[in-house]
Amino acid sequence: TGQPVVPDVSGQSQAAAEAAITATLGLSVGAVTTQCSDTVPVGEVISQSIAGGTTVTCGTAVDLVVSAGQPVVPDVVGQAQAAAETAINTTPGLSVGTVTQVCSDTVPVGEVISQSIAGGTTVTCGAAVDLVVSTGFPVVPDVVGQAQAAAEASITAVPGLSVGAVTTQCSDTVPAGEVISQSIAGGT
């Protein structure tokens, strides 16, 4: 029968492409991978490792790249950050964008509060989904005895906290510029 000629299977369904390749004596289907595509419908062949019409040796395997279509954003609100990132990053054509952390009185620490693209939305390949993740209740740092600038930096470094009113008073025991007391106890 001579050497096999690879059929052109681009644009065919994966099943039809595999059938055409295996129907050609001396050919087999190699690795089949999926790739995001804005133009090729889900399940159709985007490309093949050996161009159609090429004469090859017997026993040659033809690899296929099959379209996963456009990605559908998973709904990750309420999931742990790691699980949410995995769900997004394992969807062909999606990636995690910016992750912002904010305090929340209602959403537990480490869970996703919101996402920039709603779950179930079909988007173009390469889209990035931003996440807002809960730090839970803010824990007030103990700043008594720290210099005022260091104390203010410690407080503002905690998401959801800000420095309130700063007053000065005389002290015989605390050096000038250091915090004598705070309105909310540290560790609260």
Side-chain angles (χ1 to χ4, degrees):
T1 60
Q3 293 181 310
V5 176
V6 176
D8 183 2
V9 295
S10 292
Q12 294 184 17
S13 70
Q14 180 180 343
E18 289 181 4
I21 291 168
T22 55
T24 304
L25 192 61
L27 293 182
S28 63
V29 176
V32 177
T33 55
T34 57
Q35 180 180 314
C36 181
S37 175
D38 291 327
T39 56
V40 178
V42 175
E44 287 188 10
V45 175
I46 297 172
S47 64
Q48 58 193 79
S49 60
I50 303 168
T54 304
T55 301
V56 295
T57 58
C58 290
T60 298
V62 180
D63 298 338
L64 301 175
V65 177
V66 177
S67 174
Q70 290 185 307
V72 175
V73 177
D75 183 2
V76 297
V77 172
Q79 292 185 15
Q81 180 179 346
E85 289 183 6
T86 298
I88 292 167
N89 287 329
T90 56
T91 301
L94 288 184
S95 64
V96 174
T98 303
V99 177
T100 306
Q101 297 193 339
V102 298
C103 72
S104 172
D105 296 338
T106 57
V107 179
V109 174
E111 284 190 11
V112 175
I113 297 171
S114 65
Q115 59 191 80
S116 61
I117 304 171
T121 304
T122 300
V123 295
T124 57
C125 297
V129 180
D130 298 335
L131 301 175
V132 176
V133 177
S134 174
T135 58
F137 288 111
V139 176
V140 178
D142 183 2
V143 296
V144 172
Q146 292 184 11
Q148 181 179 343
E152 289 181 1
S154 294
I155 292 168
T156 57
V158 177
L161 291 185
S162 61
V163 176
V166 177
T167 58
T168 57
Q169 72 183 60
C170 293
S171 172
D172 293 333
T173 58
V174 178
E178 285 189 10
V179 176
I180 297 172
S181 65
Q182 61 190 72
S183 62
I184 301 172
T188 320

